[in-house]
Amino acid sequence: MNRRVLVLNGPNLNLLGVREPEIYGPDSLSDIRSACQAEAKSFDLVVDFRQSNHEGELIEWIQEARDNASAIVINPAGLSFTSIALLDALSMFDGPIIEVHISNIHRRESFRHHSYVSSVADGVICGCRTQGYQFAIARVAKLLGSPS
C-alpha cells in the first residue's frame, strides 16, 4: 500500500518564521517540514512536502497526487477563502484530505470564517499553530490504517 502523504502549503507560507510571528509563531516552513517528517516516520508514512505561491501549481500537484499519494494534508492559506479551482481539484482526490490552518481562522477577520476546502476535507485543524501539521499526519495515519 502506498504510504505517501502529500503536504501542501499555499501562498506566503514560505515566509513563516518572519511573517507576523504573533499570529503564526516563530517556526519556519523548514521547521514544519522536519516535524512532519518525524511524525510521519513514526507511522511508517513518507512525506512529500511542498509550498507554492501559485494556485495552478498547487492544483497540478493535487492532480498528480491522484496517482502517487494516499493522502493530502493541505494548508491552502489565503486560497482557502477564494479558490473554487482548488476545491474542484481536491474533490477529485480519493484519499483522506486534512486541512490545516496555523491560526484559528474563526477568531480572525470574518472573510476567513469560510473555507471552500473544508467542504471536501475529512478533517480541519486550526488554531494549534504549527503543531496542527503533526496532528494532521497522525490523523492521516489513523485513516489509512496499519501498513500491510
Side-chain angles (χ1 to χ4, degrees), residues 3 26 47 52 61-62 66 78 80 91 97 108 137 139 146:
R3 303 284 292 172
V47 165
S52 180
W61 290 339
I62 292 165
R66 295 175 68 216
S80 309
S91 71
I97 299 167
R108 299 190 60 197
I137 298 290
R139 181 63 184 147
S146 299

Side-chain angles (χ1 to χ4, degrees), residues 1-2 10 12 39 42 46 50 56 71 74 85 89 122 138:
M1 177 181 164
N2 180 347
N12 300 310
E39 188 74 14
S42 72
V46 175
R50 303 178 187 189
I74 184 168
D122 295 285

Side-chain angles (χ1 to χ4, degrees), residues 27 32 35 100 102 125 128-137:
D27 295 337
I32 297 168
V100 175
I102 295 169
I125 300 167
C128 297
R129 293 260 176 128
T130 59
Q131 189 179 14
Y133 285 85
Q134 293 162 274
F135 296 155
I137 298 290

Side-chain angles (χ1 to χ4, degrees), residues 1-4 44-45 69-71 96 140-141 143-148:
M1 177 181 164
N2 180 347
R3 303 284 292 172
R4 186 169 168 265
D44 196 29
L45 297 171
S70 293
V140 160
L143 292 170
L144 293 177
S146 299
S148 28

Side-chain angles (χ1 to χ4, degrees), residues 60-75:
E60 288 177 7
W61 290 339
I62 292 165
Q63 290 175 357
E64 290 170 11
R66 295 175 68 216
D67 295 325
N68 60 27
S70 293
I72 295 174
V73 171
I74 184 168
N75 183 341

Side-chain angles (χ1 to χ4, degrees), residues 2-17:
N2 180 347
R3 303 284 292 172
R4 186 169 168 265
V5 179
L6 180 61
V7 179
L8 293 178
N9 296 277
N12 300 310
L13 293 175
N14 56 307
L15 297 177
L16 287 174

Side-chain angles (χ1 to χ4, degrees), residues 99-118:
E99 179 181 5
V100 175
H101 295 280
I102 295 169
S103 68
N104 182 347
I105 60 174
H106 303 289
R107 291 184 67 187
R108 299 190 60 197
E109 305 90 342
S110 62
F111 70 85
R112 296 183 196 274
H113 296 178
H114 176 264
S115 166
Y116 286 103
V117 171
S118 296

